[in-house]
Amino acid sequence: MAALLDGKALAARVRAGLAQRVATLGFRPGLVVVRVGEDPASGVYVRNKDRAAQEAGFASRTLHLPAATTEAELLFTIAALNADGAVDGILVQLPLPPHIATEKAIGAVDPAKDVDGFHPLNAGRLASGLPGLVPCTPRGVMHLLAESGARLRGARALVLGRSQIVGRPMAQLLLGADCTVTIAHSRTDDLGAECRRADILVAAVGRAEMVKGGWIKPGAVVIDVGINRRADGTLCGDVAFGEAQHAAAITPVPGGVGPMTIACLLENTLDAAIARRGGA
Ligand code: GUN
């Protein structure tokens, strides 16, 4: 029977620890989440981020701009937040409306305030093994792996998915932890064979229950980043959870990686706040 990696409980512990640190700082780290338009899923995410930040003692606010906001207006808003000394972290919620170029918005955020870790400078720092702000979901996955007790050094890790937000930075973090890393994706010749070799399997491909039980090596640690909706409306991950009981440990969906993403957004905001004040 696979152990369940409870991301909800771990995230609560991480957030409680952050709240304690924030209480001793003498200032409140400032986070601004910028939302443009009315993407319904974004509304839920943004509210959850805001609530978690407030509960941990951060000065958090959401800037909700209308769907008709022009690219120039958004870039102007980001520039104002870059210049605002009370703002430590800026997160531009994705997706943006189609008339705004995502890479321009991401590239406009001051890398020192880029708590999503999406700016090319932070991505480059990560790929170069240099310190910087790291994307929240991969950072959360590293916490979950530490919690699992899995041996990372020398282990074969497979990252399924090559997105800028999860797959690529995830592979860099695992490499930094001395794993032997493979990145597989939807065009990989024999995905099953690649997965079956993995001691650590991180699925971030966005396809409901694509990873079958037979693809999972007995004793592997399985981290499921996917959040998909089945035809009947229920949520599921990228891994066929019911077939994965021969794994050593697995994250549930929901309640696995998702809560850790928010906890790590707060970690990044605190890191940015401390670094901006000279690394106290
Ligand atoms: N939309 C879905 N996930 C994310 C995320 O991690 N960061 C941002 N900015 N937008 C998202």
Side-chain angles (χ1 to χ4, degrees):
M1 187 77 173
L4 206 61
L5 291 170
D6 185 345
K8 208 170 155 186
L10 180 57
R13 288 208 302 280
V14 170
R15 282 161 37 198
L18 289 167
Q20 277 187 347
R21 286 177 62 198
V22 167
T24 64
L25 280 178
F27 67 91
R28 299 176 77 198
L31 172 66
V32 177
V33 177
V34 182
R35 179 182 174 209
V36 186
E38 302 302 330
D39 177 71
S42 289
V44 179
Y45 290 139
V46 164
R47 265 194 303 283
N48 289 341
K49 288 172 186 176
D50 210 25
R51 189 185 320 127
Q54 302 270 0
E55 280 174 11
F58 290 66
S60 168
R61 64 190 162 97
T62 299
L63 212 53
H64 190 179
L65 305 177
T69 303
T70 65
E71 186 178 275
E73 284 167 341
L74 176 61
L75 297 181
F76 185 82
T77 300
I78 293 170
L81 295 171
N82 287 342
D84 183 341
V87 175
D88 295 296
I90 303 166
L91 182 148
V92 181
Q93 183 66 27
L94 305 179
L96 290 168
H99 63 276
I100 298 177
T102 302
E103 73 279 6
K104 280 201 195 163
I106 289 172
V109 175
D110 178 348
K113 298 188 177 188
D114 169 37
V115 287
D116 253 333
F118 292 171
H119 191 288
L121 191 105
N122 281 319
R125 292 186 73 86
L126 180 59
S128 304
L130 296 170
L133 289 163
V134 171
C136 305
T137 298
R139 187 170 180 176
V141 171
M142 294 308 286
H143 278 298
L144 285 161
L145 287 173
E147 183 76 2
S148 77
R151 174 185 62 94
L152 298 185
R153 181 178 298 172
R156 278 186 191 276
L158 183 97
V159 180
L160 184 49
R162 55 177 158 177
S163 71
Q164 302 285 358
I165 294 178
V166 183
R168 289 169 202 241
M170 187 73 250
Q172 296 293 349
L173 288 176
L174 290 165
L175 199 54
D178 296 329
C179 290
T180 301
V181 181
T182 302
I183 305 179
H185 45 79
S186 55
R187 303 288 164 87
T188 295
D189 267 349
D190 188 346
L191 268 178
E194 296 294 342
C195 290
R196 275 189 290 273
R197 275 203 292 270
D199 304 306
I200 313 258
L201 175 55
V202 181
V205 76
R207 297 231 197 127
E209 298 174 322
M210 181 185 186
V211 176
K212 306 297 174 203
W215 293 16
I216 296 171
K217 181 177 176 178
V221 173
V222 180
I223 307 286
D224 192 348
V225 180
I227 301 181
N228 312 290
R229 211 169 270 285
R230 293 191 190 91
D232 67 2
T234 56
L235 292 180
C236 68
D238 291 350
V239 179
F241 184 88
E243 302 174 11
Q245 291 310 308
H246 55 294
I250 184 167
T251 56
V253 177
V257 173
M260 290 306 298
T261 297
I262 294 185
C264 290
L265 169 64
L266 303 186
E267 281 193 330
N268 278 352
T269 304
L270 180 56
D271 287 352
I274 290 172
R276 287 186 59 245
R277 288 165 177 80

